[in-house]
Amino acid sequence: MVTFVNEAEAMRAVDGFTAAWLARDIPRKASFLTDDFVLWNNCYKVEAPRDTAIAFFNWLVTVMRGNRYYDVRRYLTPTGVVQQHLTAFDTDQGSFKDIPMLLVFTTRGDRIARCEEYVDSSGLPALEWPEGARFQ
């Protein structure tokens, strides 16, 4: 049985998660996650439980600079929020822009229980996943 989310709570969770990421504030980003949070990434077909995901986020801010989202669209779903956007960022390997992303958030109250990342990774540098990531 699907329990429908509260729109204000779901959007507040996604707003906070996204704003914290763009501010490079990983402790604040983590405050929007449930204890059983899972991050899934389409490029690597990997599931990362909460602590592994936080370690991954911390690593990402060491290699990505100037991360920005634009052309952001959000849609409420029965279980959370879908966010579609373009992203751009800089790394030591160069600047990347106009990268399509889709984030599917499952929310519980004003927290995020699951984030599924769908990104067009063609031309992007390889990512390093911390111990604890479960590859499928």
Side-chain angles (χ1 to χ4, degrees):
M1 180 170 135
V2 174
T3 302
F4 291 89
V5 299
N6 174 283
E7 181 175 5
E9 289 177 338
M11 290 298 184
R12 191 167 42 248
V14 172
D15 283 341
F17 180 90
T18 301
W21 170 246
L22 294 174
R24 303 170 61 89
D25 186 345
I26 302 308
R28 178 154 169 71
K29 182 174 179 162
S31 75
F32 291 97
L33 308 179
T34 62
D35 290 341
D36 60 345
F37 171 82
V38 174
L39 173 69
W40 182 83
N41 178 279
N42 74 301
C43 302
Y44 293 86
K45 295 179 180 61
V46 62
E47 277 196 345
R50 186 180 196 280
D51 290 346
T52 304
I54 292 169
F56 179 64
F57 298 149
N58 277 312
W59 174 78
L60 277 176
V61 297
T62 70
V63 297
M64 295 173 68
R65 296 174 301 282
N67 196 357
R68 52 214 172 274
Y69 291 170
Y70 47 98
D71 294 338
V72 177
R73 296 182 194 111
R74 288 189 182 149
Y75 306 96
L76 187 69
T77 70
T79 58
V81 176
V82 171
Q83 177 174 299
Q84 178 184 11
H85 62 265
L86 296 174
T87 188
F89 56 88
D90 301 313
T91 71
D92 290 343
Q93 289 87 16
S95 295
F96 300 89
K97 63 180 185 171
D98 297 334
I99 302 158
M101 285 189 75
L102 181 80
L103 302 176
V104 179
F105 294 100
T106 301
T107 60
R108 227 180 283 139
D110 59 357
R111 299 281 186 266
I112 296 170
R114 184 175 179 89
C115 177
E116 297 178 6
E117 295 181 325
Y118 298 88
V119 61
D120 179 356
S121 64
S122 55
L124 293 180
L127 300 177
E128 295 177 21
W129 290 90
E131 187 175 329
R134 299 183 299 258
F135 293 89
Q136 300 170 338

